[in-house]
Amino acid sequence: MEFLLIFISAIFVNNIILSQFLGICPFLGVSQKIGTSLGMGAAVAFVMTLATIVTYLVQYFILNPLGLQYLQTIAFILVIASLVQMVEIILKKVSPALYQALGIFLPLITTNCAVLGVAILVIQKDLSLLQSIVYAFSTAIGFALALTVFAGIREQLALASIPKGMRGISIVLVTAGLLSLAFMGFSGVDGGLRTLFGID
């Protein structure tokens, strides 16, 4: 049941983009088309889950035993950058169309603060390895969900008659704010589920 709560909380209640405001760059940059958003969401899910596993092991089996906790951020960034390079090489061979569609935003996963944020959050929350994997994967699903919903809204906005002063980035930011407010409606759901199932 604890894993279900982590899953629901990471996707809806504490959505990495709309509640914690991490990963805004790809959220605004890759959300013009639903197809590209799904591809970006899948790439981030793979990198985020794998990065969380590797950084967890680095933290508990290298940094902590050697007393090098102060190198956490640098070590995590190096791990994430290496994983992104690997994903980029795989995508180039497996799906050249998706690789071309993602363009410059694929290397931006390296600097996507959502990936680094999740790697650091699982250490701060003192989660077990299995809980960390569930949290990372759930957060990635929440990231992909927010990105895809936002892309769908932006595709509809392209067909709408928008006042001249609100066109472009203005309407995009207003829409992002309204979507964030909509996700705030999920706040308290995890607390309610904990009470319902009698979990402390």
Side-chain angles (χ1 to χ4, degrees), residues 3 17 21 24 29 33 56 67 70 75 87 93 96 102-103 107 115-116 118 138 146 149 152 160 169 185 196 199:
F3 293 113
I17 296 175
F21 307 109
I24 297 294
K33 301 282 180 195
Y56 184 95
Y70 59 90
V87 170
K93 289 196 179 287
L102 291 173
V115 179
L116 179 61
V118 168
S138 305
V149 168
I169 197 69
L196 182 65
I199 300 171

Side-chain angles (χ1 to χ4, degrees), residues 38-159:
L38 287 170
M40 183 67 168
V44 167
F46 178 72
V47 171
M48 192 178 282
T49 306
L50 199 57
T52 301
I53 295 168
V54 176
T55 53
Y56 184 95
L57 297 174
V58 166
Q59 180 73 35
Y60 286 104
F61 292 101
I62 298 174
L63 299 181
N64 286 358
L66 297 175
L68 299 173
Q69 293 91 336
Y70 59 90
L71 291 176
Q72 182 190 65
T73 305
I74 295 169
F76 286 11
I77 288 170
L78 289 172
V79 167
I80 292 164
S82 304
L83 290 171
V84 169
Q85 280 296 110
M86 188 177 73
V87 170
E88 196 170 354
I89 291 165
I90 291 168
L91 267 183
K92 200 171 186 178
K93 289 196 179 287
V94 174
S95 178
L98 181 57
Y99 176 79
Q100 289 295 328
L102 291 173
I104 189 65
F105 295 104
L106 190 57
L108 283 178
I109 296 176
T110 309
T111 55
N112 185 348
C113 54
V115 179
L116 179 61
V118 168
I120 292 172
L121 280 171
V122 297
I123 305 299
Q124 289 177 348
K125 290 174 183 275
D126 200 27
L127 300 176
S128 68
L129 180 58
L130 193 55
Q131 287 174 326
S132 299
I133 293 167
V134 171
Y135 180 76
F137 185 69
S138 305
T139 302
I141 291 173
F143 179 91
L145 175 68
L147 205 62
T148 308
V149 168
F150 193 53
I153 293 170
R154 285 184 74 176
E155 283 186 1
Q156 292 299 313
L157 284 174
L159 305 172

Side-chain angles (χ1 to χ4, degrees), residues 28 150 154 157 162-175:
L28 295 175
F150 193 53
R154 285 184 74 176
L157 284 174
I162 299 167
K164 192 175 180 182
M166 288 296 291
R167 288 179 194 159
I169 197 69
S170 302
I171 193 66
V172 169
L173 291 174
V174 168
T175 305

Side-chain angles (χ1 to χ4, degrees), residues 1-10 127 130-131 134-135 138 189-200:
M1 194 53 66
E2 186 67 33
F3 293 113
L4 180 63
L5 289 173
I6 291 171
F7 187 77
I8 292 169
S9 177
L127 300 176
L130 193 55
Q131 287 174 326
V134 171
Y135 180 76
S138 305
V189 168
D190 57 340
L193 287 173
R194 283 179 184 279
T195 305
L196 182 65
F197 295 110
I199 300 171
D200 293 330

